[in-house]
């Protein structure tokens, strides 16, 4: 179970091809956090993850929280040289 994992561990640990399990793991993870905490943690994961496909998955999960939460985090990511390209493509 990934509910207590970091956002980077969650993104790395789920299999997007297994949508039912990925959804269950993500929902359990979200249940332990406020939407604001989840958004902040996912933004950190976007910047920390080395694999572009995982970075995009974390960015998509952040977006799924809603534009009002995602926008502030993406603006901060745009200030990080390691994540700037991803943020600008959002």
């Amino acid at each position: 179970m990934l509910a207590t994992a970091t956002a980077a561990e969650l993104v790395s640990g789920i299999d997007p091809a297994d949508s039912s399990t990925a959804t269950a793991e993500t929902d359990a993870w979200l249940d332990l956090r406020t939407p604001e905490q989840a958004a902040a943690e996912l933004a950190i994961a976007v910047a920390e993850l080395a694999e572009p496909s995982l970075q995009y998955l974390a960015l998509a999960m952040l977006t799924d929280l809603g534009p009002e939460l995602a926008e502030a985090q993406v603006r901060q990511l745009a200030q990080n040289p390691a994540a700037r390209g991803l943020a600008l493509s959002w």
Side-chain angles (χ1 to χ4, degrees):
M1 192 97 191
L2 297 169
T4 59
T6 67
E9 292 167 339
L10 172 70
V11 172
S12 298
I14 60 173
D15 178 5
D18 182 358
S19 63
S20 63
T21 301
T23 299
E25 291 284 6
T26 302
D27 288 347
W29 186 84
L30 289 169
D31 285 345
L32 296 180
R33 291 154 181 82
T34 66
E36 294 80 11
Q37 288 171 320
E41 289 184 41
L42 286 165
I44 291 168
V46 170
E48 288 181 347
L49 290 163
E51 178 67 37
S53 63
L54 296 178
Q55 289 176 305
Y56 280 110
L57 179 57
L59 189 59
M61 293 168 74
L62 173 59
T63 301
D64 286 345
L65 295 176
E68 61 284 340
L69 288 173
E71 182 178 359
Q73 296 299 326
V74 172
R75 286 185 187 276
Q76 287 183 358
L77 285 171
Q79 303 305 313
N80 179 334
R84 183 179 174 92
L86 289 164
L88 294 177
S89 71
W90 184 75

